Amino acid sequence: MGPVLTVFVKPIQDELGWSYRVIALGFLMGSASGAIASSVTGWLVDKYGPRVVVALGGLALAGALFGLSTIQEPWHFWTYFGLARGSVTAGVEIGASVAIAKWFIRQRGRTLAVKAMGHRAGQVVLPIVSFLIMDASDWRTAYVALSGFACLAIIGPALLLMRSQPEDHGLLPDGATDLRKASGGGEVPASAGTTGIVEEVSWTLREARGTRAFWLITVFLVCTPFVQGATNLHMAPIFHDRGLSEGQAVAVVAIFGMSSASSILPTGFIMERVHVRLGAMAQAVLVLATMMLLLVPAGGFPLAVLWAILFGVAAGMRNIIEILLLANYFGRTSLGAIKGFTAPFRMISPFGPLLAAHIRDETGSYTGAFLLFASVAVLMLLLMVFAAQPTKAPTEQQPAGA
């Protein structure tokens, strides 16, 4: 992911002499391959469950990380990093997020938050660990270490512990003991009691595609990684350019990760009590504010710390809101297929990192990229203003486990 790759950028450039565009192109290829594959793996998660999808994604990731330790030419990097990021997006991420959304309804916000805390905790720890390994050895050894960690952290746990949905095991979502139907709409009410659950109104992929909200959400899901993914990838170089030392730049990445991780659980609880649409609006406002901060010419390390905290909160919200938007609007029965259908549209998103790299290489500054990203943040806010919750006619409503 971006916050991990960002600490590899300078060492790779120093040894191999590559431009920012060469590295950003690998990021684009990984995101694009993951987006294309997700249209298939999302359907596979709905049909067969997440265990094999996640385990195979972890295996591909481990092999690709080891391959990255051997690269000599740009096409080596594009191939291995493309496989690594694609396997995370289409295998590990889609399988884990859809599985959790299917096991929980009333407590979906907090449980997705726990999952996201693991994701963000890795983005705190792994950049630091990678940097320390590079300091003691080199960046190639760091990639070998990450490969071994991927085997331990993904493949085994997926095969041993992951299951598709509670109904397959005679259970109900949220550990409930009885089923009570919600009154209209797909958004999950906050008051479902201590033993009952809310039976969501689930939409098929075809039904969801017929709503305005679906397409507005899809564009929003394109915009968030376009801005935030690009900034994650270029984070360390951005602050190198602003006069920070390499150690300070890595510290900014770590602070960003800690802020993101610490904001996730509160966000999860809040999203159980307010409409996810409001959370998406707040995320857009934070992204806009952080892009404007990057346009401030001075401030040094203190301003960088403030930026890392605010951008970390926005990133933490993104981890939860991206899956909640689809799950809470359209239910869980066809969630894998719905999430997978939106994924190919996100092939636009990886052009954010590549475009930022092009602007930096051509102008010697990221300022043009910050202005572009601020404009996209305004668009994100407007999309959510108009993304009203759709409703189904009573005769069309389906039980959540149907």
Side-chain angles (χ1 to χ4, degrees):
M1 308 302 283
V4 179
L5 176 61
T6 193
V7 301
F8 284 84
V9 171
K10 191 173 185 299
I12 290 174
Q13 287 181 319
D14 289 346
E15 179 178 330
L16 301 176
W18 295 347
S19 68
Y20 288 106
R21 274 175 291 195
V22 168
I23 295 173
L25 188 57
F27 200 82
L28 184 153
M29 289 181 174
S31 299
S33 64
I36 294 170
S38 292
S39 61
V40 176
T41 56
W43 175 80
L44 290 174
V45 170
D46 279 341
K47 188 170 180 64
Y48 299 109
R51 297 172 69 185
V52 174
V53 172
V54 174
L56 288 177
L59 181 63
L61 172 63
L65 288 169
F66 185 83
L68 283 167
S69 71
T70 68
I71 60 174
Q72 298 292 341
E73 301 293 336
W75 71 267
H76 297 162
F77 177 76
W78 298 335
T79 300
Y80 287 124
F81 191 83
L83 177 60
R85 186 167 174 82
S87 63
V88 168
T89 304
V92 179
E93 172 60 25
I94 198 169
S97 60
V98 170
I100 291 173
K102 289 192 174 190
W103 274 85
F104 297 92
I105 299 176
R106 180 173 56 87
Q107 297 178 338
R108 182 177 288 154
R110 71 190 71 177
T111 49
L112 282 172
V114 172
K115 177 255 183 192
M117 286 175 68
H119 181 87
R120 289 299 174 186
Q123 294 184 356
V124 176
V125 175
L126 294 182
I128 297 173
V129 171
S130 299
F131 178 73
L132 293 174
I133 294 172
M134 290 181 216
D135 191 51
S137 181
D138 58 23
W139 60 269
R140 296 182 186 275
T141 304
Y143 267 131
V144 172
L146 288 178
S147 174
F149 181 73
C151 291
L152 295 174
I154 299 174
I155 301 170
L159 292 174
L160 291 172
L161 302 174
M162 296 195 80
R163 300 293 184 272
S164 180
Q165 59 184 5
E167 289 85 349
D168 295 343
H169 305 277
L171 303 171
L172 293 172
D174 297 299
T177 56
D178 71 294
L179 189 66
R180 290 185 287 126
K181 193 171 184 179
S183 55
E187 181 71 14
V188 182
S191 56
T194 56
T195 60
I197 66 167
V198 172
E199 183 184 343
E200 288 185 303
V201 177
S202 286
W203 303 62
T204 65
L205 173 58
R206 182 178 181 181
E207 291 167 341
R209 291 201 309 254
T211 67
R212 181 179 69 176
F214 175 82
W215 294 105
L216 293 174
I217 289 170
T218 298
V219 177
F220 182 90
L221 295 176
V222 170
C223 290
T224 52
F226 182 87
V227 175
Q228 292 178 271
T231 311
N232 287 349
L233 174 62
H234 292 278
M235 194 180 303
I238 284 171
F239 289 103
H240 287 148
D241 284 359
R242 296 173 71 90
L244 272 62
S245 68
E246 189 170 344
Q248 286 177 320
V250 172
V252 169
V253 175
I255 292 168
F256 155 78
M258 288 186 285
S259 173
S260 175
S262 63
S263 68
I264 286 172
L265 194 57
T267 299
F269 278 100
I270 291 170
M271 289 298 98
E272 292 176 0
R273 289 162 173 77
V274 302
H275 200 290
V276 65
R277 179 184 175 196
L278 297 177
M281 291 180 189
Q283 178 192 347
V285 170
L286 275 174
V287 171
L288 176 60
T290 54
M291 292 303 107
M292 299 307 293
L293 274 178
L294 288 175
L295 293 171
V296 176
F301 187 64
L303 183 65
V305 169
L306 173 62
W307 178 90
I309 292 170
L310 294 178
F311 194 71
V313 172
M317 295 176 72
R318 176 190 167 194
N319 278 86
I320 301 171
I321 286 169
E322 283 196 350
I323 184 64
L324 279 183
L325 277 169
L326 295 173
N328 286 10
Y329 269 70
F330 304 110
R332 64 197 182 100
T333 302
S334 300
L335 181 58
I338 290 172
K339 184 173 172 63
F341 180 84
T342 67
F345 294 95
R346 302 189 202 186
M347 288 179 62
I348 299 171
S349 304
F351 284 94
L354 185 62
L355 187 55
H358 175 75
I359 292 171
R360 171 61 179 80
D361 285 339
E362 293 298 319
T363 68
S365 170
Y366 283 105
T367 300
F370 302 150
L371 290 170
L372 172 64
F373 295 157
S375 301
V376 175
V378 173
L379 174 62
M380 290 164 58
L381 179 59
L382 292 175
L383 289 167
M384 287 298 101
V385 167
F386 293 103
Q389 177 85 46
T391 57
K392 291 175 69 174
T395 55
E396 298 177 10
Q397 292 180 4
Q398 297 286 333

